[in-house]
Amino acid sequence: MSTTTASASTDSAVLARQAVLDDSGWGAKFHLVQPRNVTFWVTVFLFFTCAGYTIKGLSSAGKTYPESVGLAAAWFTIFAFVFLWVFHRLDRFSSIPARAKTLAFLFAGLVTTFGMAALNNDAFRAILHKTQGTKFLLEWSAGVTAPWSEEIAKALPVVLLIGLAPRVMRSAFSGLIIGAISGLSFQVFENVAYVYGGAAANFGEAKYGTSILFLRTALSTGHWAWSGVVGAGVVYLVGRPSEPPQRVLGVALILSSMLFHFLWDSVSAITGGATWAIGLYLPFSIINLVVFVWVYRRTVVRERDWARGLLAPEVGLGVISTDELEAAVGGRKVRKSFVKSQPHHRRTKHVLEGVVDLVEGIVDADGIDTDEVVHARQEIGRLRSK
Amino acid sequence: VPVDERVGGFDRRSIWPGVVLLVVWAIWAHLMPWINSQVALHDPIVAGDVINLGNGELSFVPPVGWNLDSGLRLTPGSEQKVAVPSSTAVSSELVSYSVAVGFWDGTTDGLLDRMLKINDSLKNLVAKDEQGRTSVASADGAPGRAVYVRGADESVLIVAFVFAQPDTAGGSKQPGIGVEIEVRGQTTDLQDQIRDIATMIATTTYQPSTKGASA
């Protein structure tokens, strides 16, 4: 493989890359303010209507239970950043703009959690109480209410971005990532409320909120995983220009999350409150992760095809080899196996990272050879010759 | 926005996502709460009803004819359905009587101080005026403290009990159990129903299943 990598792309290569960018929506800019967009005005309205309610509630709780709210907010902020980093790693080619992810997080946390889901939960559970009795309320109402009430509410950021950033939401993979971010945000805001709720239930004693903090952290595979799967399901259900509808699959994914959410919330009722029932959260957590990973592997294929399409001309230019291309766009196992097969592991890893940078450079440059793209190619050459 | 994709100047493709957001918001935040407000809860207390406040060990007896708004009756086999912390509410047509149970290691006066400080419902009282505190006792002799907070429209009577839990079998000390009773209604209605209210307060009992408990 040559280390001279500043070769220029041909017109046909540029056109091929631009066709991939057009199909994938990669590099599409996200503009929040869109006066001709109905979804934009609805979003503004909902932020005004619901976010104020949420902020007022959290602010009031912060004054009444400062220790619990402060601790929970700090802890779950760290928790959120850890998971956001994981989701960022899953979105290897950064196909979703950071501002779109930020909007999804804020909408889920400030609008849907308390401004919609909590209100609907409370009302529906009260109706169940009045019509089915107190015993049913205590045992089954959470499982009968939260799965549909919360999963639909958490899917709204996916719908919002389809309306506000249709070029960004091109594939089920986008739905998976945005759905997971929405679920994470919901989880974070809900957990803060659970923690100070634990203190409130014990006359404001902060230590009882802290014990809930550890419990909620341990049970952390629920909302983001279910919502990610629902997000992909929504995209499969409605279809996108680059993702033909697969309605049966879409509905199945959405219902699967509701089913697992139901089981999660009904452990006590199903087992009759047996003490061993807490052990069920371990297999349930594994199921949540397995389903999420299965959907990830299924949806990321299209992302990899697009990355492959962008990088294909680089093989012709002698920037990378076919094996490197396949390793760079492949899954973790493929990359690991490729790195192991090479004499210089560390160098190979760096080259593959450089290839990802090249993809990002090509995306930012809309497929043409800018100085940044040329530099990214030169970097690959430099890394290879180290 | 392409000309052929405009409706009234707006991007036609952005309509359905916006409508979905609005419809879900309308149902979740308004329709469901409205339906709830239209469904009455009718669960009258009958003779012999005892309300479980925690593990079947902590309970009280509401007057016949009052409504059980939230909480669970104590029935054989259902003792563990209610754990500490818990909350329960009963009401007559004019007065609400709610009981919050949680862990509390302080004194009854300390619990009253805490509730006066953090109880959200007291913030709604107009021109509230805290009257003096008095000592009360349950029928089984448990000492409690009460404070009456008079507002321009409604008044609230808060009563606190603190029960000591017995040590665990291994000898570990357990936290105390605090009980906060909040009776709310118009001042005249509270006075009219004071007999029912006093009877209910007096029936608050804690009978731990383990020997060695003290109240």
Side-chain angles (χ1 to χ4, degrees), chain B residues 14-29:
Chain B
S14 69
I15 294 175
W16 78 260
V19 169
V20 169
L21 294 179
L22 274 181
V23 167
V24 173
W25 167 76
I27 296 173
W28 265 232

Side-chain angles (χ1 to χ4, degrees), chain B:
Chain B
V1 180
V3 172
D4 57 344
E5 296 288 358
R6 287 181 209 163
V7 175
F10 287 99
D11 187 342
R12 184 179 59 81
R13 299 160 297 184
S14 69
I15 294 175
W16 78 260
V19 169
V20 169
L21 294 179
L22 274 181
V23 167
V24 173
W25 167 76
I27 296 173
W28 265 232
H30 294 281
L31 181 61
M32 197 63 77
W34 178 81
I35 293 172
N36 177 37
S37 71
Q38 302 303 303
V39 181
L41 174 65
H42 187 62
D43 189 7
I45 299 295
V46 298
D49 279 353
V50 177
I51 305 303
N52 186 358
L53 293 174
N55 305 316
E57 300 174 338
L58 187 60
S59 63
F60 78 103
V61 181
V64 171
W66 281 51
N67 201 58
L68 180 59
D69 299 329
S70 67
L72 205 62
R73 289 176 178 80
L74 183 57
T75 54
S78 74
E79 291 85 353
Q80 304 305 317
K81 297 283 184 192
V82 181
V84 179
S86 72
S87 62
T88 299
V90 295
S91 62
S92 67
E93 286 182 5
L94 302 168
V95 173
S96 69
Y97 182 102
S98 56
V99 187
V101 177
F103 294 113
W104 180 256
D105 285 324
T107 62
T108 47
D109 272 314
L111 181 55
L112 272 189
D113 289 339
R114 179 65 64 85
M115 294 323 297
L116 289 169
K117 183 180 173 189
I118 69 172
N119 194 328
D120 275 340
S121 69
L122 292 180
K123 293 174 187 165
N124 302 329
L125 284 183
V126 179
K128 64 184 175 190
D129 175 27
E130 186 184 330
Q131 314 278 302
R133 296 186 184 190
T134 55
S135 294
V136 296
S138 68
D140 58 4
R145 294 281 280 166
V147 62
Y148 188 63
V149 183
R150 188 168 188 155
D153 183 27
E154 287 189 315
S155 295
V156 176
L157 172 68
I158 299 179
V159 181
F161 290 104
V162 178
F163 298 98
Q165 288 196 88
D167 293 345
T168 62
S172 302
K173 189 162 177 57
Q174 296 195 86
I177 295 178
V179 176
E180 183 228 1
I181 298 166
E182 182 182 316
V183 193
R184 189 183 184 105
Q186 291 195 350
T187 307
T188 52
D189 295 329
L190 287 180
Q191 287 165 352
D192 289 346
Q193 304 199 0
I194 193 66
R195 188 181 298 274
D196 278 351
I197 294 165
T199 305
M200 246 186 305
I201 292 169
T203 61
T204 307
T205 59
Y206 177 59
Q207 295 174 324
S209 53
T210 313
K211 287 183 178 178
S214 58

Side-chain angles (χ1 to χ4, degrees), chain A residues 8-9 13-14 22 28 34 44 54 81 90 111-112 119 156 172 196 258 270 272 278 297-298 302 310 351 361 364 369:
Chain A
S9 302
V14 170
D22 193 44
Q34 301 177 44
V44 170
T54 301
F81 273 110
L90 293 180
V111 176
T112 60
L119 296 174
L156 293 183
Y196 74 72
M258 290 183 181
I270 290 170
I278 195 165
R297 284 183 176 164
R298 184 186 172 88
R302 195 175 298 275
L310 285 181
V351 168
D364 289 343
D369 282 2

Side-chain angles (χ1 to χ4, degrees), chain A residues 264-305:
Chain A
W264 187 275
D265 280 358
S266 305
V267 163
S268 179
I270 290 170
T271 62
T275 49
W276 55 264
I278 195 165
L280 285 176
Y281 286 111
L282 181 61
F284 284 177
S285 295
I286 293 169
I287 291 171
N288 292 340
L289 293 175
V290 166
V291 175
F292 183 87
V293 169
W294 182 80
V295 176
Y296 167 76
R297 284 183 176 164
R298 184 186 172 88
T299 56
V300 79
V301 170
R302 195 175 298 275
E303 296 277 307
R304 288 174 180 158
D305 285 345

